[in-house]
Amino acid sequence: MAFETVIGLEVHAQLSTRSKIFCACSTAFGAAPNGNTCPVCTGMPGVLPVLNRKVVEYTIRTALATSCTVQRRSVFARKNYFYPDLPKAYQISQYELPIALGGHVDIEVDGETKRIGITRIHMEEDAGKLVHEGEFAGAQASLADLNRCSVPLMEIVSEPDMRTPEEGGAYLRRLHDILVYLGVCDGNMEEGSFRCDANVSVRPVGQEAFGTKAELKNMNSFRNVEKALEYEIRRQVELIEDGGKVVQETRLWDANAGVTVSMRRKEEAHDYRYFPDPDLLPLIVDDSWVEELRATIPEMPAEKIARLGTQYGISRYDAGLLASTRALADFFEASAAIYGGNPKTTANECVHWKDAVLAGTLSPETIAHAVEDRERGTISATASKKLVELVLSTGKPFRTLRDEQGLTQVSDTSALDVLVEKILAASPKEVEGYRAGKVGLLSFFVGQVMKESRGKANPKVVQEVLKKKLG
């Protein structure tokens, strides 16, 4: 029997606000345990939450960038459950009336574009974190760090539109890019700023009803999500083929063992006993604010890829590499504006020096001058690479270093004649071999001349001189 997979993803993105969603405590990562806490986020009796306006703004901007409809009225609810890192025993979230509904994200897999629906986007607070002494299963003690309590989260729930782990990975990468482009989330997956739960089920091909789903919790790398989905799909299919039944449950991905393991029975909504939070009024968003925020939406990754390809004549692949981060794409355009040579060369240079570009240690002028000097034959590719490295280590301008280092390329044929004659005289066997038909030896001679000139000879002119002398 052939099976079809059904995947829906729930992404938790930490919003890049300086303070928490319902109090003024800092959201800074890495603070001393329980250093960023107060009576509000630790749930002390008698305190009242106050909604952070920036959290609402960031969520609305995300909703608009993913073509969701912003609800003019939304409601915060209490999601009740007891866990040691949630001292007030409920999480403030949105339930029946979230802030945004019905959007989409377009992904590309194997050259095909597919639209993945977004069911809803809602705001909520995070819980704290337990630190276990030793291994989790045999821990002698567990400590609670409540710094993450009330850190603002945005949950983005997709429709069950994905059919393969590759589609799941592509959706996550595109959504990640959108949030980082918007500046509403730093996208740092190692610190938990962008993490994902996956609902996955299988059904016989042709069957309309969904199979029983399992939820995979808290995965924080694209590759781990894809691996976990691959394993879980295989597990469910083999279970059914062996006569077993998939049960609805929450499972954890063990990256070291490469398996998913049962964690607990999957809760239903009624288990949480949701009810509107009596301490927070319904959130009313007026049209003028939404339109004001709409005007702040920057060009999104998919739009940028298409425009870079059209405007600069570079391939979709190159445009995708540049658009992988907004800062890199902006750097490329700034470099291309300074020197309008071959955009493909500029794109290659920007991608090659991506780490330095994103670290802010290279200027667009450096790349523009490197590309211009190479294209005009002033320096060789080897010298260009060496000069950029010197810019990074010294901080001096590219062309100052070029002149100081004497790396201006030699294109004068009379000067190169002398070098070529010297190399040919020192390589009689290779000369004989070339003239006997081993034309590949030309690269050997070019390499020797480049070495003799310490990378300063113009390789194109060297080739011409060599061919002339070798006959």
Side-chain angles (χ1 to χ4, degrees):
M1 181 185 295
F3 288 88
E4 179 183 55
T5 303
V6 178
I7 300 168
L9 297 178
E10 298 174 4
V11 169
H12 286 90
Q14 179 179 330
L15 294 165
S16 299
T17 56
R18 290 190 293 180
S19 57
K20 296 183 178 180
I21 184 170
F22 297 121
C23 65
C25 287
S26 170
T27 58
F29 181 81
N34 299 308
N36 293 338
T37 57
C38 72
V40 175
C41 55
T42 55
M44 296 293 106
V47 299
L48 291 174
V50 177
L51 180 59
N52 184 334
R53 180 182 174 91
K54 206 70 176 177
V55 171
V56 182
E57 175 187 322
Y58 283 0
T59 308
I60 291 175
R61 294 182 76 224
T62 303
L64 295 173
T66 52
S67 302
C68 287
T69 301
V70 177
Q71 303 302 296
R72 298 315 187 241
R73 180 179 184 274
S74 62
V75 173
F76 283 97
R78 290 188 180 182
K79 181 181 181 181
N80 296 275
Y81 62 97
F82 173 75
Y83 208 63
D85 60 4
L86 190 66
K88 60 189 175 188
Y90 63 85
Q91 176 191 29
I92 301 178
S93 180
Q94 292 191 306
Y95 178 48
E96 290 179 311
L97 297 171
I99 192 166
L101 294 168
H104 63 261
V105 168
D106 291 338
I107 63 170
E108 287 186 20
V109 175
D110 297 330
E112 300 289 327
T113 300
K114 181 173 181 177
R115 176 157 293 183
I116 307 299
I118 290 178
T119 310
R120 58 185 278 156
I121 300 177
H122 66 255
M123 298 170 284
E124 63 185 27
E125 61 180 345
D126 205 351
K129 176 184 177 183
L130 290 182
V131 181
H132 306 289
E133 183 182 68
E135 295 295 327
F136 175 78
Q140 298 299 306
S142 295
L143 307 173
D145 179 359
L146 304 182
N147 279 347
R148 289 196 66 86
C149 281
S150 276
V151 163
L153 298 179
M154 179 171 57
E155 182 168 343
I156 304 168
V157 182
S158 83
E159 291 289 315
D161 289 341
M162 288 155 276
R163 296 291 174 266
T164 66
E166 291 76 19
E167 289 183 3
Y171 168 79
L172 285 178
R173 289 183 178 88
R174 179 51 54 87
L175 191 58
H176 179 273
D177 290 346
I178 289 172
L179 301 188
V180 174
Y181 263 61
L182 287 170
V184 302
C185 172
D186 64 18
N188 190 323
M189 301 178 80
E190 290 183 356
E191 295 178 0
S193 299
F194 186 90
R195 54 190 195 264
C196 166
D197 300 341
N199 290 303
V200 55
S201 63
V202 297
R203 63 185 175 187
V205 171
Q207 176 180 303
E208 289 191 12
F210 292 152
T212 303
K213 67 183 178 183
E215 184 183 38
L216 309 181
K217 292 291 287 183
N218 279 340
M219 295 168 287
N220 60 356
S221 87
F222 299 126
R223 189 63 193 131
N224 271 339
V225 171
E226 291 177 336
K227 283 184 176 178
L229 289 171
E230 288 167 5
Y231 176 86
E232 182 60 20
I233 292 164
R234 190 166 61 250
R235 184 190 73 85
Q236 292 188 17
V237 169
E238 290 175 354
L239 185 62
I240 295 170
E241 288 179 336
D242 289 344
K245 286 186 177 180
V246 177
V247 296
Q248 186 164 332
E249 61 181 341
T250 299
R251 299 179 70 84
L252 286 177
W253 168 243
D254 184 336
N256 293 325
V259 299
T260 63
V261 292
S262 183
M263 178 183 176
R264 62 173 184 260
R265 180 180 60 86
K266 171 63 180 169
E267 297 88 347
E268 300 289 352
H270 64 261
D271 293 326
Y272 293 119
R273 294 170 290 116
Y274 283 98
F275 65 88
D277 192 301
D279 293 335
L280 289 162
L281 292 171
L283 175 63
I284 307 299
V285 175
D286 63 50
D287 291 346
S288 61
W289 193 28
V290 172
E291 292 313 307
E292 180 185 323
L293 294 175
R294 192 188 302 277
T296 68
I297 304 299
E299 184 177 49
M300 288 291 101
E303 299 165 343
K304 193 176 285 291
I305 290 170
R307 181 180 62 77
L308 291 177
T310 302
Q311 184 173 339
Y312 296 96
I314 57 178
S315 69
R316 189 170 183 79
Y317 175 77
D318 287 333
L321 291 177
L322 293 170
S324 61
T325 63
R326 184 177 170 185
L328 185 63
D330 290 345
F331 186 95
F332 162 76
E333 294 204 81
S335 299
I338 295 168
Y339 173 62
N342 185 349
K344 167 69 176 172
T345 308
T346 303
N348 289 346
E349 287 293 302
C350 291
V351 172
H352 180 79
W353 299 104
K354 178 180 177 180
D355 290 345
V357 169
L358 297 182
T361 51
L362 271 186
S363 68
E365 287 79 9
T366 297
I367 295 300
H369 290 164
V371 173
E372 183 177 12
D373 284 359
R374 279 176 57 188
E375 291 193 349
R376 294 185 187 284
T378 308
I379 60 172
S380 66
T382 304
S384 174
K385 183 172 182 292
K386 180 178 179 180
L387 286 168
V388 175
E389 289 171 345
L390 285 170
V391 169
L392 290 172
S393 62
T394 68
K396 290 184 178 180
F398 183 88
R399 284 179 171 159
T400 300
L401 287 164
R402 180 196 68 186
D403 297 339
E404 284 181 358
Q405 296 289 319
L407 289 175
T408 301
Q409 192 162 248
V410 177
S411 300
D412 177 44
T413 52
S414 60
L416 294 177
D417 271 348
V418 176
L419 281 175
V420 169
E421 288 288 359
K422 182 178 178 182
I423 296 302
L424 295 182
S427 315
K429 288 177 64 177
E430 285 78 8
V431 172
E432 184 180 345
Y434 179 87
R435 287 175 174 156
K438 294 181 180 178
V439 294
L441 284 167
L442 186 66
S443 298
F444 165 77
F445 295 124
V446 172
Q448 292 300 303
V449 175
M450 295 302 294
K451 185 178 179 183
E452 184 69 18
S453 69
R454 293 186 298 163
K456 294 165 63 177
N458 184 326
K460 188 176 177 183
V461 180
V462 169
Q463 279 202 31
E464 293 170 0
V465 174
L466 277 167
K467 287 179 180 176
K468 187 177 176 182
K469 290 190 176 296
L470 287 167

